[in-house]
Amino acid sequence: MSNDKRAVILASGGMDSATAAYEAIDRGYEPYLLHTSYGQRTEDKEHRCAEALAAAVDAADFLRVETGHLAAIGESSLTDEGMGVADADLESDEIPTSYVPFRNANLLSMAVSYAEANDCGAVFIGAHSEDFAGYPDCRPEFFEAFQRVIEVGTKPGTEIDLVAPFVEWSKTEIAERGLELGVPYERTWSCYRAEEPACGTCDSCAFRLEAFRNAGSRDPIAYAERPAFE
């Protein structure tokens, strides 16, 4: 298979990256999944979900990278047990405590290395428009700049496209697309606090539950607390 038909997908174990994997396959790419455990609270659950995704899509390869440097750097409630994970505030434009400083640059760097080593023509990431306010490394201008980094930082003749297919989409639109593609959302995990059941009240749970509601479907994973609209 030619390199332009192979793609690395950053697979966190969550619904956005799972949908990105199915989107890549729908576009004709053979998937190579990269999962990173960096000391996040729910890393074991996320890893199991990423492995399940790799099996579901019959991935050409599944690579798990374990690194402690983001946790050692700290300043995120996802990696620092001394910081509490805040309840959801879906209207806030503030940087949340769950922001991991410059995480996507770290993850994309590994993904590009993996893609270059395997002669892949694309790297997919599941970032979306509702991440813009809280996560500066999820914005279109960040991905545009990183594309330039790829072009100047890889060996001559390398062509790797950085693809963020949902960067202008809402979480609801991602859920709708995933339901259309048959993404096994029961095998995904989004909660920032717990490994089973999901808390239902952190930012990630709240956005996910709202997306399924808006898409006219019920989120198939278990929650300790579901909102009244569920």
Side-chain angles (χ1 to χ4, degrees):
M1 182 172 287
S2 63
N3 76 314
D4 61 344
K5 286 300 180 182
R6 290 200 291 268
V8 171
I9 299 100
L10 279 170
S12 68
M15 66 174 289
D16 302 332
S17 63
T19 311
Y22 274 75
E23 180 69 25
I25 292 165
D26 191 63
R27 296 186 186 190
Y29 289 99
E30 182 180 23
Y32 287 65
L33 268 57
L34 173 63
H35 175 74
T36 304
S37 295
Y38 54 89
Q40 65 270 43
R41 292 171 187 261
T42 59
E43 64 179 331
D44 290 339
K45 178 67 174 181
E46 291 177 26
H47 174 224
R48 292 194 297 273
C49 288
E51 278 192 320
L53 175 64
V57 301
D58 192 22
D61 191 39
F62 176 77
L63 176 64
R64 181 190 189 187
V65 176
E66 296 185 67
T67 173
H69 73 284
L70 291 174
I73 290 168
E75 286 303 306
S76 171
S77 61
L78 297 195
T79 59
D80 186 344
E81 293 290 342
M83 298 175 66
V85 176
D87 282 341
D89 182 356
L90 303 187
E91 303 302 319
S92 175
D93 289 333
E94 299 296 319
I95 304 294
T97 62
S98 56
Y99 170 66
V100 179
F102 216 46
R103 179 183 64 178
N104 280 348
N106 285 263
L107 303 187
L108 285 170
S109 293
M110 288 186 278
V112 171
S113 293
Y114 185 34
E116 187 173 12
N118 286 278
D119 201 21
C120 296
V123 168
F124 278 69
I125 186 171
H128 59 88
S129 66
E130 289 169 7
D131 287 333
F132 285 8
Y135 301 98
D137 57 354
C138 287
R139 298 170 184 164
E141 54 267 34
F142 171 79
F143 297 122
E144 291 164 7
F146 208 92
Q147 179 67 63
R148 179 60 179 153
V149 170
I150 295 171
E151 291 165 1
V152 301
T154 53
K155 65 181 183 289
T158 301
E159 294 185 8
I160 299 172
D161 293 326
L162 175 54
V163 184
F166 313 131
V167 72
E168 301 289 353
W169 290 26
S170 68
K171 191 89 167 182
T172 296
E173 290 172 313
I174 293 173
E176 290 171 340
R177 178 59 171 157
L179 291 167
E180 176 187 342
L181 292 171
V183 177
Y185 284 130
E186 70 278 5
R187 300 180 184 180
T188 64
W189 199 253
S190 301
C191 185
Y192 288 155
R193 284 197 178 106
E195 294 201 343
E196 196 78 33
C199 72
T201 57
C202 69
D203 269 351
S204 190
C205 284
F207 273 116
R208 177 178 171 136
L209 284 162
E210 182 182 60
F212 276 96
R213 178 198 63 177
N214 292 342
S217 184
R218 182 176 173 85
D219 190 340
I221 69 170
Y223 285 90
E225 180 178 338
R226 285 183 182 261
F229 62 67
E230 279 281 294

